[in-house]
Amino acid sequence: MTSHHILVVEDEREIRELLHYSIGRSGYTVSVVPDAESALDQLKSETPDLVIIDWMLPHMSGIELARRIRHDQYTKDIPLIMLTARGEEVDKLKSFDAGVDDYITKPFSPRELNARIKALLRRAGDAEGSQLSVDGLKLDTVAHSVCVNGDYVHLRPTEYRLLELLLRHPKRAFQRSQLLDLVWGRSVYVDERTVDVHVLRLRKALQKYEMDSLVQTVRGVGYRLNPAFASA
Ligand code: CA
């Protein structure tokens, strides 16, 4: 079971530390960056489940960062919370206009922030359907868990994302380069053979439940989900 990953973009060190501490205490995996440029950089290699953005950032503003996240096909669906000292209605409207899902005014209570994070993650999970299943295997996108006939299957984050993607498109064969784009982000540092390594790990984890043939090799292409394997 993996926890949700939350990215925090805040330039003030004390607030950044407070956020890191209070969100981390709620059981989420937190990464913090001090500016929009570092956030965009990090988003190239990983996709968090939610991003908290401070409005007033050096160089590029939080609003501009929110817009860029919304305009990128790889990040457009990530829930966004804007954090700011501005409480004017016109400013709130401006941030909703940039695609922000929720808005919190400083000073904020960590409990309120955590409640909003939870609500937003739940909403995001509901929107995409929280349960993906095939045969006896169930993946819960809200709990980030995978079960086979009620038994938890322990997967590392990359294997989990790989399985989630395949389950979302059960009939589609993915090329290795597509899997790299969709699971790893667009990191150019990752070799296509990395996909094979992780597919192998995923199959190993599923082997215990005799479900390793769920991930089928498509010769000359890459991989696809093979839901029919049980009856084959
Ligand atoms: Ca700031």
Side-chain angles (χ1 to χ4, degrees), residues 51-127:
V51 186
I52 297 173
I53 306 170
D54 180 37
W55 178 305
M56 297 292 280
L57 293 170
H59 322 299
M60 190 193 299
S61 74
I63 285 287
E64 179 57 25
L65 174 62
R67 264 193 207 111
R68 292 202 186 192
I69 290 174
R70 280 292 171 260
H71 281 107
D72 186 312
Q73 61 157 320
Y74 294 96
T75 57
K76 64 180 171 56
D77 297 322
I78 302 176
L80 305 177
I81 295 179
M82 184 66 80
L83 193 63
T84 169
R86 299 172 180 232
E88 308 259 336
E89 187 159 272
V90 59
D91 292 326
K92 289 188 186 175
L93 292 175
K94 206 167 151 189
S95 64
F96 284 125
D97 210 43
V100 168
D101 299 283
D102 205 352
Y103 188 102
I104 288 190
T105 310
K106 289 179 192 170
F108 58 91
S109 106
R111 280 176 68 183
E112 185 192 353
L113 177 63
N114 276 318
R116 294 201 184 205
I117 290 172
K118 207 171 156 188
L120 205 49
L121 286 172
R122 192 185 304 127
R123 222 193 298 161
D126 287 347

Side-chain angles (χ1 to χ4, degrees), residues 156-214:
R156 290 195 242 187
T158 306
E159 281 79 76
Y160 171 88
R161 288 200 300 272
L162 192 58
L163 181 62
E164 181 180 343
L165 177 70
L166 294 172
L167 283 168
R168 283 190 190 285
H169 309 275
K171 285 176 187 160
R172 180 168 162 190
F174 287 94
Q175 293 172 0
R176 287 174 179 78
S177 58
Q178 291 173 321
L179 290 172
L180 276 182
D181 270 1
L182 295 162
V183 176
W184 279 260
R186 287 147 294 168
S187 169
V188 290
Y189 306 105
V190 184
D191 193 86
E192 287 193 9
R193 275 170 299 184
T194 304
V195 175
D196 302 329
V197 172
H198 288 274
V199 165
L200 197 70
R201 282 191 195 153
L202 176 58
R203 281 183 180 148
K204 267 205 175 129
L206 296 173
Q207 204 167 32
K208 194 175 152 194
Y209 308 92
E210 298 181 337
M211 290 195 114
D212 45 309
S213 40
L214 194 60

Side-chain angles (χ1 to χ4, degrees), residues 2 14 19 37 54 107 149 213 221:
T2 55
E14 278 146 46
L19 286 165
E37 291 79 2
D54 180 37
N149 299 324
S213 40
V221 181

